[in-house]
Amino acid sequence: MANVKILSLEEIADRDAIRDLIDAYAFCADTRDAKGQMALFTEDTLFRVFMDESQTEPSQTVHNRNDLAPIFDNLNIYTSTMHFNGQSKITLSGNTATGITYCFAHHLTIEGDDKKLMVAAIRYYDEFIKIDDTWFFKKRDLKVAWVENKPLNS
């Protein structure tokens, strides 16, 4: 039998709060709530986008919460999006934590009769911090594993 770690109630609550944070990010993206999405990050956050996860240098880097607005507003180019968060692994260390979350991000574009779906397979590598009993993203690396583009039939 594998070793099973018994979690304290505080650890369970922290893990649940972090998972809520991860899901809130996706919900805000899909509802185009850029301000709500930005509020999930610390003021001095580091947010990096790697359009190819094999690259060592990011394609885009943001060093504070306010500069996230154009990244999140960019979702408005799509008719609709739907992010599906999958498995995640969270490692707690007091008021900080690290985590990896898998996500399929669906992006729909409709131009006249032309419908296209772009699906990005994403891994998020996160650092979290708990401030005044609330968890925030301190650092988020968005790494795209692959992208699939396909036309949709009506």
Side-chain angles (χ1 to χ4, degrees), residues 15 18-23 25-26 82-90 99-106 120-124 126 128 140:
R15 287 178 181 281
I18 290 170
R19 185 59 196 209
D20 282 350
L21 176 68
I22 292 165
D23 289 342
Y25 175 92
M82 195 169 291
H83 291 72
F84 290 94
N85 289 324
Q87 69 270 27
S88 61
K89 177 157 179 53
I90 297 166
I100 301 171
T101 300
Y102 288 62
C103 176
F104 280 111
H106 298 71
I122 298 170
R123 289 183 186 92
Y124 293 106
D126 297 313
F128 308 99
R140 177 158 254 210

Side-chain angles (χ1 to χ4, degrees), residues 95-110:
N95 286 335
T96 63
T98 59
I100 301 171
T101 300
Y102 288 62
C103 176
F104 280 111
H106 298 71
H107 304 77
L108 176 66
T109 304
I110 300 175

Side-chain angles (χ1 to χ4, degrees), residues 37-65:
Q37 201 170 14
M38 290 166 56
L40 304 173
F41 291 81
T42 60
E43 291 282 343
D44 63 343
T45 197
L46 176 60
F47 185 91
R48 302 185 308 172
V49 177
F50 297 79
M51 291 308 293
D52 177 346
E53 73 176 348
S54 68
Q55 299 299 310
T56 56
E57 293 300 317
S59 16
Q60 192 169 15
T61 302
V62 171
H63 294 280
N64 66 70
R65 180 192 296 164

